[in-house]
């Protein structure tokens, strides 16, 4: 992912997923790609940005808190979350924020 998400005028919401991975891919790449495809189909989805070095940070953008709640409860996403806890992540943190202002070039 090399582009910044095209988000609307605020307010909107950001889900910030910060993680430290375990060794090896163990199917992670395939499922991560699938989760992006699936998220793009969800009502309220606005875009995503992601970077990974030693620490991974993925920020997804949503129109409202209800859309985030529905995404979290998506059955396929829940299965990926379960696998992530067992296999892919040493640690992770999820933060949900309301974006009230954005600017840039």
């Amino acid at each position: 992912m090399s582009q910044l998400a095209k988000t609307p005028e605020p307010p909107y919401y950001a889900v910030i997923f910060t993680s430290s991975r375990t060794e090896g891919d163990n199917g992670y790449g395939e499922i991560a790609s699938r989760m992006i495809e699936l998220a793009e189909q969800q009502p309220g989805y606005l875009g995503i940005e992601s970077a990974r070095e030693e620490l991974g940070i993925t920020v997804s953008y949503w129109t409202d808190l209800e859309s985030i709640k529905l995404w979290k409860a998506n059955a396929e996403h829940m299965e990926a979350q379960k696998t992530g806890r067992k296999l892919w992540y040493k640690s992770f943190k999820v933060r949900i924020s309301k974006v009230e202002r954005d600017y840039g070039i």
Side-chain angles (χ1 to χ4, degrees):
M1 232 164 289
S2 61
Q3 294 188 7
L4 299 177
K6 293 181 184 359
T7 50
E9 288 294 315
Y12 54 88
Y13 289 84
V15 176
I16 306 156
F17 180 76
T18 309
S19 64
S20 174
R21 288 279 320 276
T22 57
E23 293 295 320
D25 183 78
N26 300 310
Y28 175 83
E30 181 181 337
I31 298 300
S33 293
R34 173 63 185 145
M35 290 302 103
I36 292 169
E37 290 173 12
L38 188 60
E40 289 172 342
Q41 299 169 21
Q42 302 305 301
Y45 173 85
L46 297 172
I48 194 166
E49 299 165 343
S50 187
R52 176 161 293 286
E53 289 291 329
E54 193 137 331
L55 180 72
I57 299 174
T58 298
V59 183
S60 59
Y61 300 100
W62 302 85
T63 55
D64 53 52
L65 291 172
E66 183 64 20
S67 297
I68 294 168
K69 182 179 176 183
L70 292 172
W71 169 237
K72 181 174 174 37
N74 175 284
E76 196 172 341
H77 185 214
M78 288 176 69
E79 190 60 35
Q81 292 171 53
K82 189 184 304 181
T83 303
R85 286 184 188 94
K86 289 190 307 191
L87 188 61
W88 298 321
Y89 300 113
K90 287 189 233 178
S91 61
F92 70 86
K93 186 87 162 181
V94 177
R95 297 171 178 96
I96 299 173
S97 301
K98 184 176 184 181
V99 177
E100 297 194 11
R101 208 168 28 134
D102 70 12
Y103 52 89
I105 56 171

